[in-house]
């Protein structure tokens, strides 16, 4: 105060202005200090986020499911992790199956199951046309009120039932081996009695069919994968694979043919107007040693009215099944071209031979080549001896084709034995099948390096 008395006659109003100015300056200083502090915190937060993101797995571009062949049932099985807490679930692979179904009657314990309520988006996606309004047992997975239903089937017993649609966590392996999860994977609850004749330990069916709720499209959507999946089944008991997304086929170049839609369901239980979930291809003729055999052309076409005829690929049938007239024509031509004596047939096969009369090569027994010719003469699925023949005893081998009877539902069903050691690519986006016989390239599925880009 003495300072102002001695050096100036400053007014009180000026003094108040000075005090206010001083306070404002102090406030600005504090604001700058606070801003610096906030900036430091922001930088630290960015660093932490960067470190955190660096430790978080990148979205995979490929997934792999191991496939094992059960020698007693000839079924192809795989395994996923499901539920909370996760448990391993062994499944039989059905290439044309419309969805994943699992036995919910025994031991299905989880905290993350969610029923698909009637008229929900999930029910619409699954094309459910029925609703379980009331379940008369205590609520549990597979038994909840106001839940839409589908019809899970056991294709090995041709049996089916009604099952509730729901979702739960499913975990599988990325191509790099890391586990990745889908939090709400849609599946259907089956029952314990539907496990009859499935391989030991199997708890359901892994459906890969042409629907929006089979395994493939759900994985595509969850991880933004390329819309294609591959199948490579091993002729030994293990080391086959199903892979989703990107993979490298450069060491086994693929030949492509269109995937066809059968407008009529080939399932045991279906609704009117439902298309088949099986994968069909357009076989136009069959050649034995590059000689066309006589086949009624209409049998090779899909009848748009009743869905009969055509050619599909199956992992349910262990051997290729042919409509009777086609079967007889193939057997006759094959025996003629092989030109060795036949022996007593061994069920279910119709043409058998002494093993000592047939030489072998890297493609298997040296027997006539069987070509399934598709859209033109240059596009054919060649079946070598390793896929056409089966050893039934030490001294006898047979042609591994089966008589499907007269007026069979599908004229040609390419079975598991003929699919083995072939690299198949189901390009869903382009609606085409790529195929490559690995034996011809001196490779097998067990040794094939898929080289899928991944996390």
């Amino acid at each position: 105060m003495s300072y102002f008395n001695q050096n100036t006659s400053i007014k009180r109003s000026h003094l108040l202005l000075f005090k206010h100015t001083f306070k404002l300056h102090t406030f600005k200083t504090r604001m700058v200090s606070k801003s610096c502090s906030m900036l430091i915190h922001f930088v630290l937060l960015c660093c932490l986020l960067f470190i955190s993101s660096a430790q978080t797995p990148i979205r995979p571009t490929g997934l792999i499911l191991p496939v094992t062949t059960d020698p007693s049932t000839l079924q192809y099985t795989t395994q996923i992790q499901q539920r909370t807490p996760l448990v391993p679930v062994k499944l039989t692979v059905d290439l044309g199956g419309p969805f994943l179904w699992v036995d919910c009657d025994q031991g299905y314990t989880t905290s993350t199951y969610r029923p698909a309520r009637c008229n929900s988006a999930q029910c619409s996606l699954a094309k459910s046309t029925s609703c379980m309004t009331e379940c008369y047992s205590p609520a549990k997975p597979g038994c909840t009120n106001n839940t839409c239903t589908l019809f899970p089937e056991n294709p090995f017993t041709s049996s089916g039932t009604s099952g509730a649609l729901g979702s739960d966590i499913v975990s599988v392996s990325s191509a790099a081996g890391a586990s990745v999860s889908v939090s709400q994977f849609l599946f259907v609850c089956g029952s314990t009695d539907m496990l009859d004749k499935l391989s030991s330990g199997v708890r359901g069916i892994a459906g890969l069919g042409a629907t929006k709720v089979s395994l493939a499209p759900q994985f595509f959507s969850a991880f933004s994968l390329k819309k294609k999946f591959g199948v490579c089944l091993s002729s030994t008991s293990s080391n086959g694979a199903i892979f989703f997304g990107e993979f490298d086929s450069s060491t086994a170049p693929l030949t492509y043919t269109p995937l066809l839609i059968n407008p009529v369901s080939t399932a045991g239980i279906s609704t009117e107007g439902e298309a088949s979930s099986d994968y069909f291809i357009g076989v136009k003729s069959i050649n034995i040693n590059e000689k066309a055999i006589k086949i009624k052309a209409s049998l090779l076409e899909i009848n748009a009215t009743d869905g009969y005829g055509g050619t599909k690929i199956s992992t349910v049938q262990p051997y290729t099944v042919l409509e009777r007239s086609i079967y007889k024509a193939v057997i006759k031509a094959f025996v003629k071209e092989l030109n060795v004596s036949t022996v007593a047939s061994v069920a279910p096969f119709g043409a058998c031979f002494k093993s000592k009369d047939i030489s072998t090569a890297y493609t298997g027994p040296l027997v006539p080549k069987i070509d399934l010719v598709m859209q033109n003469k240059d596009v054919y699925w060649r079946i070598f001896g390793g896929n056409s023949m089966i050893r039934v005893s030490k001294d006898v081998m047979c042609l591994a084709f089966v008589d499907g009877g007269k007026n069979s539902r599908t004229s040609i069903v390419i079975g598991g034995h003929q699919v083995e050691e072939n690299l198949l690519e189901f390009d869903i986006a382009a609606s085409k099948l790529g195929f490559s016989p690995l034996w011809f390239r001196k490779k097998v599925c067990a040794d094939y390096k898929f080289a899928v880009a991944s996390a």
Side-chain angles (χ1 to χ4, degrees):
M1 190 67 179
S2 60
Y3 177 83
F4 293 113
N5 286 339
Q6 294 174 7
N7 297 283
T8 185
S9 58
I10 192 168
K11 295 182 179 179
R12 179 177 290 274
S13 60
H14 292 169
L15 178 60
L16 291 173
L17 179 60
F18 176 82
K19 288 181 178 179
H20 291 163
T21 304
F22 178 79
K23 288 180 180 178
L24 181 60
H25 174 74
T26 304
F27 176 74
K28 287 182 177 179
T29 302
R30 288 175 180 170
M31 284 293 292
V32 171
S33 176
K34 187 174 181 181
S35 297
C36 290
S37 177
M38 290 177 66
L39 180 61
I40 292 170
H41 283 295
F42 177 77
V43 171
L44 288 173
L45 179 61
C46 287
C47 290
L48 289 173
L49 287 173
F50 176 79
I51 293 170
S52 176
S53 64
Q55 294 174 341
T56 301
I58 301 170
R59 187 186 300 274
T61 56
L63 309 175
I64 291 185
L65 292 180
V67 177
T68 299
T69 309
D70 185 331
S72 61
T73 64
L74 301 181
Q75 292 173 22
Y76 301 98
T77 65
T78 189
Q79 183 172 282
I80 62 172
Q81 300 278 328
Q82 190 196 40
R83 312 168 198 179
T84 300
L86 290 170
V87 296
V89 180
K90 185 178 179 182
L91 304 164
T92 291
V93 176
D94 182 359
L95 179 65
F99 44 73
L100 165 67
W101 73 256
V102 175
D103 173 26
C104 293
D105 283 352
Q106 291 187 350
Y108 197 104
T109 303
T110 182
S111 61
T112 47
Y113 176 82
R114 299 290 181 270
R117 299 302 182 187
C118 298
N119 302 314
S120 65
Q122 294 99 318
C123 299
S124 177
L125 188 69
K127 295 186 176 180
S128 170
T129 58
S130 58
C131 178
M132 179 170 59
T133 57
E134 188 173 0
C135 182
Y136 297 102
S137 299
K140 64 174 185 176
C143 185
T144 51
N145 295 341
N146 190 34
T147 304
C148 63
T149 59
L150 292 171
F151 299 96
E153 292 184 55
N154 180 334
F156 300 94
T157 60
S158 299
S159 61
T161 186
S162 176
L165 178 68
S167 65
D168 209 336
I169 290 176
V170 163
S171 178
V172 295
S173 293
S174 72
S179 295
V180 292
S181 298
V182 182
S183 60
Q184 295 184 0
F185 197 97
L186 289 171
F187 75 103
V188 178
C189 277
S191 56
T192 303
D193 57 6
M194 288 183 61
L195 302 178
D196 185 37
K197 293 188 179 180
L198 296 184
S199 295
S200 176
V202 163
R203 307 308 300 171
I205 298 288
L208 293 165
T211 70
K212 293 182 179 179
V213 292
S214 66
L215 265 66
Q218 292 200 68
F219 286 140
F220 298 156
S221 177
F223 301 107
S224 299
L225 301 177
K226 286 191 174 181
K227 293 182 179 180
K228 59 183 179 180
F229 71 93
V231 175
C232 206
L233 303 180
S234 176
S235 57
T236 60
S237 61
S238 61
N239 297 319
I242 299 169
F243 41 99
F244 304 87
E246 295 183 55
F247 67 96
D248 180 12
S249 62
S250 61
T251 58
L254 300 170
T255 299
Y256 289 95
T257 192
L259 286 170
L260 306 180
I261 296 174
N262 187 330
V264 181
S265 176
T266 46
I269 305 174
S270 62
T271 57
E272 187 175 354
E274 181 182 353
S276 175
S277 59
D278 284 304
Y279 294 100
F280 282 76
I281 55 176
V283 172
K284 302 297 183 183
S285 63
I286 300 177
N287 294 350
I288 308 292
N289 266 359
E290 302 184 26
K291 300 174 185 177
I293 63 174
K294 189 176 181 180
I295 297 174
K296 189 176 180 181
S298 61
L299 292 172
L300 300 179
E301 300 293 331
I302 300 172
N303 187 304
T305 303
D306 59 19
Y308 273 63
T311 301
K312 73 178 184 180
I313 307 170
S314 172
T315 56
V316 170
Q317 295 294 339
Y319 309 104
T320 291
V321 182
L322 303 174
E323 186 275 338
R324 180 160 295 164
S325 66
I326 299 175
Y327 176 77
K328 288 182 176 180
V330 167
I331 292 292
K332 182 179 179 180
F334 187 89
V335 171
K336 180 181 179 180
E337 288 296 319
L338 181 57
N339 194 29
V340 301
S341 298
T342 59
V343 297
S345 60
V346 178
F349 311 113
C352 298
F353 314 88
K354 290 181 181 179
S355 302
K356 67 178 183 179
D357 292 339
I358 300 175
S359 301
T360 59
Y362 63 90
T363 55
L366 284 173
V367 296
K369 301 181 290 293
I370 302 174
D371 293 338
L372 305 180
V373 184
M374 285 164 260
Q375 61 264 36
N376 60 60
K377 64 182 180 61
D378 296 320
V379 180
Y380 51 86
W381 182 329
R382 175 157 289 177
I383 302 173
F384 294 96
N387 289 110
S388 66
M389 303 299 290
I390 184 77
R391 187 177 292 273
V392 296
S393 71
K394 179 182 177 182
D395 301 319
V396 176
M397 62 175 60
C398 301
L399 181 63
F401 288 70
V402 177
D403 184 353
K406 189 176 181 180
N407 300 319
S408 54
R409 183 73 175 79
T410 303
S411 298
I412 302 174
V413 181
I414 302 174
H417 186 68
Q418 282 68 44
V419 171
E420 289 174 355
E421 309 305 351
N422 281 270
L423 177 63
L424 303 183
E425 176 195 86
F426 294 82
D427 190 330
I428 305 305
S431 192
K432 63 182 181 179
L433 171 74
F435 54 93
S436 180
L438 297 185
W439 263 326
F440 178 68
R441 306 182 189 286
K442 298 185 179 181
K443 296 179 180 292
V444 291
C445 289
D447 299 326
Y448 191 82
K449 303 303 180 184
F450 300 115
V452 184
S454 70

